[in-house]
Amino acid sequence: MNEITRQEFLADPDDAITNVSDNPSFESILNARLSRRSILKGSFGFAATTFLGGGLAACAGTSYEPSLKLNFNAVAKSLADAVVVPSGYTVTVLYRLGDPINAATPAYMNDGADTSASFASRAGDHHDGIHYFGLSSDGKYSAGANDRGLLCMNHEAITPAYLHPNGATIVNSVRTVSDEVIKEMHAHGVSVIEVAKSGSAVTYKQNSGFNRRVTTFTDMTLSGPAAGTAAMITAYSPDGSKTRGTINNCAHGATPWGTYLTCEENWAGYFRRITATDNPNRTAKELASFSRYGVAGNGRELWATATASDSTDTSFSRWNAMKLGTSADGRDDFRNVANTYGWVVEIDPFSPTSTPKKRTAMGRFAHEGAWLGPVAAGKPLVWYMGCDSRMEYIYKYVSTANWDPADVNKGMTAGDKYLNDGKLYVAKFNADGTGQWLELKFGSNNIMAAYAPYAFADQADVLINTRLAADAAGATKMDRPEWGAVNPANGEVYMTLTNNNSSNRTISNLDAANPRFYNDPKGTAQTAQRGNPNGHIVRWAEAGGNVAATSFAWDVFLFGARSTADGTNVNVSNLTAANDFSSPDGLWFAPSTGLLWIETDDGAYTDVTNCMLLAAVAGKVGDGAKKTITSTDGATSKAVDTFVGKALGETNLRRFLVGPKECEITGLAETPDGKALFVNIQHPGEDTAPTFSNPSSFGSHWPDGGNARPRSATIVITKDDGGQVGGSLS
Ligand code: FEO
Ligand code: CA
Ligand code: CA
Ligand code: CA
């Protein structure tokens, strides 16, 4: 496409509204401006476009003269072991670690004695990404259903200490109690639970036939260009067509046809690969791939060290990614198993017996999530994705097939249509406030056999080694991309860059989109935390409002900071005590109102406050100004020009919730009417090693209180007057 300048994008404050033109020329942008003006006269800005969850029409077209108003008083920062919300709101604990999902499973004892087998029908640990699918009376997906729905949520990881009577049993770095490992393998994955809402009361239905656990044991089909290739062959699947389970499911996505996307993030760490032994047995390309993804070490939970009672049972040996067999292709070991993880996985929650599919066309990396862009009939679908690691990239996937609303409720068949064939791009952020989407296609953008660090063979190789392809293409290294969110009012995309440290983000490699290097002084000793410890949120507008565009304009929506930090170069967004935050992670636009929710997963500001949830009224790309930020490491200083969104002030940004001790606030979903907000409280008390003989020493007792062991849990927040949560349209 023709590149357009940032000035052309932003000359008219109205021009960033999404249209569905597939011709992103300057003329088409002008035409779009004109058509938008006429559309706005009808107070409806998104005529051809719908979003998941429905309820959009009321807020469309309002983002530039917002009628959205926050409806609560900011809560103070807190170190209490409690969920704090504003007055006028009520918190209900819905679904905790260990809660049963069928009638036959007893209540969770929460003392480590619950059996490993029972965990196949209990809530997993570390609740993370979450999505609400409305459920119709005939058991189908119904986007607008408020009273009955399916909640899909990820169980990213575990706090092993609290799963067993006295923590994990480990002798000389070996898991000697294999039953404990089976319990841990069940505690990962995904839950599907049916929920019901009656007035402001929200409950989950323990005996629903829709309830399901997907775990590390669940059979999964590999699909798309990398499926069935030699790199996918394992002892579990000699033809490379399938793999077993999913792991480290962080954030998520959804499809317009009514399926859930669960995203595999820090999967690499679960595999055992002792490099001194294994490296001499591997090819140069294999070593380059392992190195780029971090497949090395003992395995974070040491699962590969457990012993199965039956020698044909590969439940534990499957976590050993070393070359142990004698076959030429890997059908007698798990040397290739790591290639079967790191994908976006589609699950049909409306079909509890369906086999999930890993969608290889969407690339393999540390997938945080996959966020659906504007949906329009006859146009491609787009998902925005982040690779959450320091100095990693932002991606998008654009389907080849154009959206047909008749595909709603077609489940995995629709997935085969839209998610197996498309273009994968990586983002490059330019210093002038524009950016490019670089296609990750074999034979283009330096992605070829002649690329010295990694000789690409074909498109399947590109998809399995997406990070290396993005390196070759010249993408911009970001400060840990976490969640994305798409503004229902104008199609602009927001993405959190949670933080970075001083060994990766140095004063010399600052750039316009990652422009700060500073010290966050932590604790009474005011320990230096240099780099970008508080993070920021970047946003962009696609050229012409076209989801398939290959250029965009960007700015920084918000910079995290202590309100007391230097207001020129650190607290650039002028945060106050009512809205200061650090390490933004979860991000989500409420479909009913367009309110933007921001969650934190922080370790920097935690001397002052537990992690939190904030509510914002977002503006638009270019509503602020160009700004020069000057950073110093004490010896040298550097000035970097960037683009900063208009300061929100306390009117448009307020702290809504603070969580219990040592937790992360993550996962957001709402009923379509915006009257019930689901939030996940992940791993309260995880930082304090427990002394089991002294339960009062636990790092948290939330949510059960007393001397109870802490539990990750989903909470529901409702407004006491029955209104919309956080904000409403006036
Ligand atoms: Fe699982 Fe990137 O947080
Ligand atoms: Ca996250
Ligand atoms: Ca995080
Ligand atoms: Ca976490």
Side-chain angles (χ1 to χ4, degrees):
M1 66 160 286
N2 300 326
E3 286 180 20
I4 59 174
T5 68
R6 179 182 172 85
Q7 193 172 16
E8 285 166 343
F9 261 118
L10 303 176
D12 181 328
D14 291 344
D15 72 1
I17 193 81
T18 295
N19 67 72
V20 294
S21 164
D22 57 2
N23 176 6
S25 69
F26 188 52
E27 282 145 302
S28 75
I29 293 168
L30 283 172
N31 290 337
R33 289 175 188 166
L34 293 171
S35 64
R36 179 178 173 272
R37 285 196 188 99
S38 53
I39 288 167
L40 275 186
K41 283 180 186 157
S43 204
F44 191 88
F46 229 4
T49 304
T50 56
F51 270 76
L52 285 177
L56 178 74
C59 72
T62 59
S63 69
Y64 310 133
E65 296 173 39
S67 60
L68 172 60
K69 298 265 190 297
L70 302 183
N71 63 15
F72 62 93
N73 293 321
V75 301
K77 293 184 280 285
S78 168
L79 291 169
D81 193 27
V83 174
V84 184
V85 295
S87 61
Y89 281 90
T90 296
V91 174
T92 306
V93 177
L94 181 75
Y95 184 62
R96 302 161 295 185
L97 163 68
D99 278 340
I101 65 163
N102 60 27
T105 302
Y108 193 53
M109 293 184 283
N110 196 25
D111 60 1
D114 301 274
T115 67
S116 61
S118 79
F119 259 83
S121 49
R122 297 187 180 282
D125 206 350
H126 285 216
H127 303 37
D128 205 318
I130 184 170
H131 197 84
Y132 176 94
F133 293 93
L135 180 62
S136 68
S137 56
D138 61 352
K140 297 281 202 315
Y141 172 49
S142 173
N146 291 298
D147 297 342
R148 189 176 175 218
L150 298 181
L151 272 187
C152 297
M153 79 178 74
N154 294 338
H155 300 289
E156 183 184 30
I158 54 174
T159 305
Y162 294 116
L163 292 175
H164 312 299
N166 291 292
T169 308
I170 299 170
V171 179
N172 295 328
S173 299
V174 171
R175 297 299 298 264
T176 53
V177 182
S178 54
D179 196 54
E180 291 179 358
V181 174
I182 292 170
K183 186 187 287 187
E184 294 175 13
M185 288 161 61
H186 275 129
H188 286 72
V190 174
S191 283
V192 180
I193 55 169
E194 182 180 342
V195 293
K197 177 165 161 283
S198 175
S200 62
V202 180
T203 52
Y204 86 91
K205 191 175 169 189
Q206 185 180 331
N207 63 353
S208 169
F210 288 103
N211 291 352
R212 180 182 188 183
R213 282 298 318 284
V214 171
T215 73
T216 61
F217 292 101
T218 306
D219 196 46
M220 308 226 159
T221 303
L222 297 166
S223 65
T229 60
M232 299 300 204
I233 292 172
T234 62
Y236 186 68
S237 179
D239 65 358
S241 65
K242 63 177 188 169
T243 190
R244 186 167 22 178
T246 185
I247 195 75
N248 207 263
N249 305 82
C250 188
H252 71 293
T255 70
W257 55 93
T259 60
Y260 183 67
L261 301 177
T262 184
C263 299
E264 299 179 330
E265 189 193 28
N266 292 312
W267 46 273
Y270 287 81
F271 294 102
R272 182 177 183 85
R273 201 179 72 82
I274 308 303
T275 54
T277 313
D278 194 52
N279 280 3
N281 299 326
R282 312 304 288 246
T283 66
K285 278 187 66 173
E286 284 177 316
L287 294 176
S289 179
F290 286 138
S291 173
R292 190 65 183 81
Y293 285 91
V295 181
N298 295 327
R300 60 186 267 179
E301 309 297 352
L302 300 172
W303 289 344
T305 68
T307 302
S309 54
D310 173 349
S311 64
T312 64
D313 179 356
T314 56
S315 298
F316 308 125
S317 59
R318 58 181 282 215
W319 300 105
N320 190 331
M322 297 168 70
K323 185 175 180 180
L324 302 173
T326 55
S327 68
D329 62 4
R331 64 184 58 225
D332 56 351
D333 60 15
F334 289 91
R335 76 186 72 160
N336 295 323
V337 69
N339 292 334
T340 71
Y341 292 83
W343 304 104
V344 174
V345 184
E346 185 180 15
I347 297 170
D348 182 358
F350 296 91
S351 178
T353 58
S354 59
T355 301
K357 290 192 175 182
K358 299 200 177 188
R359 299 295 185 185
T360 66
M362 300 176 86
R364 174 172 171 263
F365 43 91
H367 275 287
E368 179 74 17
W371 291 278
L372 179 65
V375 175
K379 298 294 174 187
L381 297 173
V382 61
W383 283 266
Y384 296 96
M385 307 179 286
C387 179
D388 180 13
S389 213
R390 297 185 175 102
M391 314 306 276
E392 289 298 344
Y393 307 127
I394 291 171
Y395 299 84
K396 77 170 176 181
Y397 170 84
V398 180
S399 68
T400 300
N402 291 326
W403 172 237
D404 179 354
D407 288 329
V408 172
N409 272 310
K410 290 196 179 162
M412 306 301 282
T413 304
D416 292 342
K417 176 178 174 182
Y418 297 101
L419 298 179
N420 283 353
D421 185 9
K423 289 182 177 175
L424 184 63
Y425 297 90
V426 69
K428 181 181 181 202
F429 289 77
N430 299 322
D432 65 357
T434 66
Q436 268 86 48
W437 290 111
L438 309 170
E439 189 178 357
L440 302 179
K441 180 181 178 186
F442 179 66
S444 64
N445 284 325
N446 208 26
I447 303 165
M448 42 196 71
Y451 178 61
Y454 189 86
F456 289 99
D458 52 26
Q459 187 62 16
D461 200 13
V462 170
L463 294 170
I464 293 169
N465 292 284
T466 304
R467 280 182 170 178
L468 287 159
D471 293 345
T476 301
K477 295 175 177 174
M478 309 299 287
D479 287 343
R480 288 188 59 197
E482 289 260 19
W483 284 52
V486 180
N487 189 340
N490 60 15
E492 293 183 356
V493 189
Y494 289 60
M495 191 166 279
T496 53
L497 300 166
T498 189
N499 55 51
N500 208 340
N501 61 14
S502 59
S503 48
N504 286 285
R505 185 59 69 192
T506 67
I507 196 161
S508 57
N509 70 15
L510 294 173
D511 60 37
N514 302 275
R516 289 187 306 169
F517 182 97
Y518 53 97
N519 174 32
D520 177 283
K522 186 177 182 185
T524 52
Q526 299 288 281
T527 307
Q529 292 186 297
R530 291 188 184 274
N532 180 18
N534 302 139
H536 55 291
I537 303 173
V538 72
R539 63 182 172 185
W540 61 89
E542 299 278 18
N546 174 11
V547 298
T550 54
S551 65
F552 57 88
W554 64 267
D555 68 12
V556 175
F557 170 58
L558 278 175
F559 287 97
R562 294 173 191 245
S563 62
T564 51
D566 162 23
T568 303
N569 299 304
V570 182
N571 184 15
V572 179
S573 297
N574 298 327
L575 304 181
T576 70
N579 59 25
D580 60 343
F581 68 93
S582 174
S583 301
D585 188 335
L587 197 65
W588 194 64
F589 277 98
S592 59
T593 60
L595 181 149
L596 178 62
W597 293 107
I598 304 166
E599 301 177 310
T600 71
D601 173 16
D602 188 37
Y605 206 6
T606 44
D607 54 331
V608 173
T609 185
N610 299 339
C611 288
M612 65 182 73
L613 168 66
L614 305 104
V617 180
K620 64 183 288 290
V621 173
D623 63 9
K626 190 171 183 176
K627 182 175 170 66
T628 303
I629 293 176
T630 302
S631 295
T632 179
D633 63 1
T636 58
S637 67
K638 184 174 180 182
V640 176
D641 289 342
T642 188
F643 300 88
V644 185
K646 184 181 177 184
L648 298 180
E650 294 178 8
T651 302
N652 289 324
L653 179 65
R654 288 176 209 159
R655 187 179 304 107
F656 179 79
L657 174 154
V658 183
K661 291 182 176 177
E662 301 174 14
C663 80
E664 164 185 348
I665 307 296
T666 184
L668 283 160
E670 276 187 14
T671 51
D673 59 11
K675 295 181 176 179
L677 175 70
F678 301 91
V679 177
N680 281 329
I681 309 294
Q682 190 186 79
H683 60 57
E686 77 155 357
D687 299 332
T688 303
T691 302
F692 292 104
S693 59
N694 177 22
S696 66
S697 70
F698 296 168
S700 169
H701 302 287
W702 190 89
D704 297 345
N707 273 341
R709 295 178 176 206
R711 300 162 80 176
S712 294
T714 303
I715 61 172
V716 187
I717 302 169
T718 51
K719 196 163 186 281
D720 296 345
D721 66 5
Q724 288 176 308
V725 178
S728 48
L729 296 160
S730 56

